[in-house]
Amino acid sequence: MAVEKIKISKVKLKIVSALFNLLKTNSFNKIKISQIIEVADVSRPSYYRNFSDKISIINYFIKNIYNWKVVSKLINNNLNINFDEVGFTKFYEISLQISLEFKEYFLILDKNNFSGLIVDLTTESGFYAIGNMSNNSIDKYLINYLTGFFCNIRMQWLKNGAKESIHDMAVFLTNVLKDNVIKKLEKYQSCNNINEDRKSVV
């Protein structure tokens, strides 16, 4: 499915970039909003029109920059991901490719103890992608397992210098899952929600 290029707010992008630049040399708790505003070169009203606090900047990076880069690549490559061995391998390849593009950001978040937040936000995306799983189904815990598993392996891979190829890592991740989780998830068919036409993120 062809979609328009996802539009990321330039102001928000500047603010995200400013926060991560500051995190290179400062701990998250010590960074002030005034510093972010100065580095981003935006006005205070402009900052508060876009973000309520520092955590919301990190949320935006994970949910609206990283996540939708993954989604747009899936859509633009016409990949209808199914919950099977081939589908998981394709999904992991794309997710790891985008993760590598943001390697520095992920390592900064890990250094500042935000790995748990990354898992939580990734889990939200997992439930959205599946879509047709009942919240009353015991299988819902598989999503928590999948996202925690992926996020932890990805972080170690990035911290180790991403020495293994993206394809080899994707196959490794899939092989770990295929004998139990994938067979359970196959009944939910394809990630239909991934292919929704998300034209812009504001």
Side-chain angles (χ1 to χ4, degrees), residues 64 96 122 137 146:
N64 298 82
L96 290 170
T122 305
S137 170
L146 281 169

Side-chain angles (χ1 to χ4, degrees), residues 49-191:
R49 276 197 301 271
N50 290 282
F51 295 106
S52 58
D53 52 29
K54 292 184 293 183
I55 288 290
S56 63
I57 302 174
I58 294 174
N59 288 345
Y60 185 81
F61 163 67
I62 297 295
K63 296 175 73 173
N64 298 82
I65 298 179
Y66 165 77
N67 188 55
W68 284 111
K69 267 185 170 280
V70 172
V71 170
S72 63
K73 193 167 185 66
L74 289 170
I75 294 171
N76 291 334
N77 284 278
N78 293 314
L79 294 178
N80 186 27
I81 301 301
N82 293 308
F83 295 124
D84 56 23
E85 187 173 346
V86 173
F88 267 86
T89 301
K90 288 178 181 177
F91 176 76
Y92 282 139
E93 284 179 337
I94 287 174
S95 297
L96 290 170
Q97 181 183 343
I98 304 301
S99 298
L100 197 54
E101 290 180 24
F102 289 112
K103 176 183 176 181
E104 184 178 29
Y105 281 18
F106 279 112
L107 293 180
I108 286 172
L109 290 176
D110 181 67
K111 183 179 178 182
N112 283 272
N113 301 314
F114 282 112
S115 293
L117 178 61
I118 293 172
V119 173
D120 289 344
L121 295 175
T122 305
T123 300
E124 284 182 24
S125 299
F127 278 109
Y128 174 79
I130 288 176
N132 61 343
M133 177 183 285
S134 168
N135 196 44
N136 294 322
S137 170
I138 196 168
D139 288 343
K140 64 181 178 292
Y141 295 110
L142 290 172
I143 306 305
N144 298 87
Y145 171 79
L146 281 169
T147 53
F149 163 75
F150 172 69
C151 289
N152 281 296
I153 295 294
R154 173 181 61 188
M155 190 62 73
Q156 288 304 313
W157 177 64
L158 293 175
K159 288 168 76 171
N160 289 336
K163 296 175 183 177
E164 297 82 7
S165 73
I166 288 171
H167 176 72
D168 285 349
M169 284 300 298
V171 171
F172 165 75
L173 288 162
T174 303
N175 285 339
V176 171
L177 298 174
K178 70 180 180 181
D179 291 331
N180 45 28
V181 176
I182 290 177
K183 290 188 182 301
K184 290 180 181 292
L185 285 176
E186 280 179 346
K187 64 184 177 184
Y188 293 103
Q189 300 303 315
S190 63
C191 301

